[in-house]
Amino acid sequence: MAWRWLPWLLGACTGLALLLLQSAMQSGKVPRNVQPEVRFQAMPTFVLKHNSKAGGTFSRTLLKAVFKFNPSKKALWKIIDDDNALFPNDKKKNFVAVLMRNPCAWNVAWANECPTKAWDFGRPTFAANPLGPMGYLERHTTDTELRNWMLNARSPEGLGVISFYLWQSMVCPKCWGWHRKVKEGLNPKEGEHCNSSHRAQQDMAVMNPQSLAHCWIFQETLMEDMRVCLTAFEASHPAAADSVRWDLFEKAAANQSGEALFFERDWSVARWAAPSLQYRRHKPCEEHFRDPAMRQIVRQSDAHLFEKFGYSDCCAPSSREIW
Ligand SMILES: *[C@@H]1O[C@H](CO)[C@@H](O)[C@H](O)[C@H]1NC(C)=O
Ligand SMILES: *[C@@H]1O[C@H](CO)[C@@H](O)[C@H](O)[C@H]1NC(C)=O
């Protein structure tokens, strides 16, 4: 009787073994989101570059809670907020971590949560905000609304707004706020090159994420990447060691990216910003990008973000192979 089951049993065993091997290989893959062996001569500050709608509000609350009190005058950590630029000099004496997100999911978040921002920069765009003068909707955007928003928010030459935002805030920070300054009659130091979408395209094509930060934090794997960055920060100088309350960090990490902590007093402000609560704020990315034509729009307008940051597809997490 038993031999009749033998082929089935063998098949099942082989299948299971392959499955286990595959998952072991996947989980054994070490993220390479941090520069190896970062060391400073003097005590660094942990600088987080907050980029709009990439987990910044959540991260700010997290850092505020997990960094220990520092008796010296030197700040243990600081945030460069979403409306300020990160300059190359910031990296010389500080440990710099930057928030990043899948370009498709990022467009969905902007279209739903800060649609007017794309026009507030004052740069020439393809067309006006299709969501109307105020721009905000009391519901999730439809596919058509998202498509029109993404198309209109591009430069006339087709550079996506997220690419422009990152170019202006990190790749070419001298140009930060250039259009707004011109509009306000401030006569900015930098010249016409800040108005060149072609130049921004070229800069993004040769941009190297390794030179912009010591560590990248991907919104899709925020807690894991944050852990890697904080660990590297602690190792970067003897005085930085033991800066983090790891017990609290791990408590937050264990509970769906830390929502549990949001129910405590200090956390209530940023409760809405927890990554796993975002479905309440907009339609899931996958639903918006079922149509290949939708994926193609982001592929073209934010092309370099996919390739430079390990995003193989719309809505997928990054391979995190930066170093
Ligand atoms: C920026 O360039 C566009 C052409 O792409 C031009 O129409 C516009 O006037 C320029 N803006 C400024 C402030 O120079
Ligand atoms: C996770 O958070 C929820 C909501 O705050 C809480 O009810 C639950 O007890 C927490 N779980 C753990 C394991 O801390």
Side-chain angles (χ1 to χ4, degrees):
M1 281 300 272
W3 59 267
R4 276 207 282 154
W5 297 101
L6 202 61
W8 180 87
L9 201 66
L10 276 176
C13 284
T14 318
L16 192 67
L18 281 175
L19 212 70
L20 286 174
L21 190 69
Q22 197 187 14
S23 76
M25 275 164 65
Q26 270 165 6
S27 63
K29 210 168 177 185
V30 182
R32 301 208 311 262
N33 61 312
V34 66
Q35 179 181 326
E37 305 288 329
V38 183
R39 299 288 179 265
F40 293 96
Q41 295 294 321
M43 168 74 181
T45 295
F46 184 87
V47 171
L48 181 75
K49 176 69 186 94
H50 172 181
N51 287 321
S52 276
K53 305 302 162 201
T57 308
F58 175 84
S59 302
R60 181 190 297 268
T61 316
L62 183 76
L63 294 183
K64 194 173 164 197
V66 302
F67 264 107
K68 291 181 181 168
F69 173 72
N70 183 22
S72 80
K73 286 249 165 68
K74 177 113 183 149
L76 276 181
W77 65 283
K78 84 170 192 187
I79 302 238
I80 296 181
D81 70 34
D82 50 346
D83 289 324
N84 276 296
L86 177 73
F87 287 85
N89 257 352
D90 292 324
K91 215 184 144 211
K92 285 198 181 137
K93 292 183 174 171
N94 303 310
F95 187 100
V96 172
V98 181
L99 295 167
M100 187 64 203
R101 186 172 189 170
N102 181 291
C104 299
W106 217 348
N107 272 286
V108 173
W110 271 44
N112 278 272
E113 296 165 40
C114 57
T116 51
K117 195 179 176 86
W119 285 269
D120 292 344
F121 296 119
R123 70 161 184 159
T125 54
F126 207 79
N129 184 352
L131 306 183
M134 240 314 273
Y136 298 88
L137 301 170
E138 289 303 314
R139 51 176 172 76
H140 298 169
T141 55
T142 64
D143 290 353
T144 309
E145 283 164 345
L146 175 67
R147 191 189 65 218
N148 293 340
W149 183 90
M150 293 191 302
L151 290 172
N152 291 8
R154 296 171 307 161
S155 74
E157 298 82 6
L159 183 67
V161 70
I162 303 284
S163 295
F164 169 75
Y165 174 60
L166 294 177
W167 174 74
Q168 214 201 204
S169 56
M170 290 189 294
V171 179
C172 188
K174 285 183 298 187
C175 289
W176 178 258
W178 189 85
H179 294 91
R180 257 185 305 206
K181 286 181 199 154
V182 170
K183 275 207 170 116
E184 289 164 16
L186 289 176
N187 200 13
K189 265 202 308 226
E190 296 299 319
E192 276 289 314
H193 60 271
C194 291
N195 191 25
S196 168
S197 178
H198 180 65
R199 179 190 155 147
Q201 293 258 30
Q202 285 181 328
D203 284 354
M204 292 309 276
V206 297
M207 172 263 289
N208 180 0
Q210 291 185 358
S211 68
L212 296 175
H214 296 108
C215 203
W216 287 91
I217 298 172
F218 296 92
Q219 193 266 357
E220 304 83 27
T221 43
L222 193 145
M223 288 304 273
E224 237 184 282
D225 298 346
M226 186 71 87
R227 184 188 286 112
V228 168
C229 297
L230 290 174
T231 305
F233 167 72
E234 284 194 324
S236 70
H237 189 269
D242 202 26
S243 301
V244 175
R245 295 178 59 187
W246 285 108
D247 55 336
L248 206 61
F249 182 94
E250 293 307 338
K251 203 169 129 194
N255 196 334
Q256 290 189 43
S257 307
E259 278 97 323
L261 294 177
F262 291 154
F263 291 86
E264 289 168 20
R265 200 165 34 109
D266 287 353
W267 296 79
S268 58
V269 191
R271 203 183 129 198
W272 58 270
S276 57
L277 291 180
Q278 292 203 345
Y279 67 92
R280 289 188 198 156
R281 292 195 270 152
H282 49 70
K283 210 162 111 167
C285 184
E286 293 80 3
E287 275 181 40
H288 267 311
F289 288 99
R290 285 205 181 111
D291 180 356
M294 284 288 274
R295 299 202 288 275
Q296 197 53 28
I297 293 172
V298 190
R299 280 284 189 184
Q300 275 171 2
S301 54
D302 293 312
H304 302 299
L305 300 185
F306 286 92
E307 160 217 336
K308 304 272 178 182
F309 290 98
Y311 287 111
S312 59
D313 209 345
C314 264
C315 316
S318 162
S319 67
R320 295 184 282 174
E321 287 171 6
I322 304 293
W323 275 273

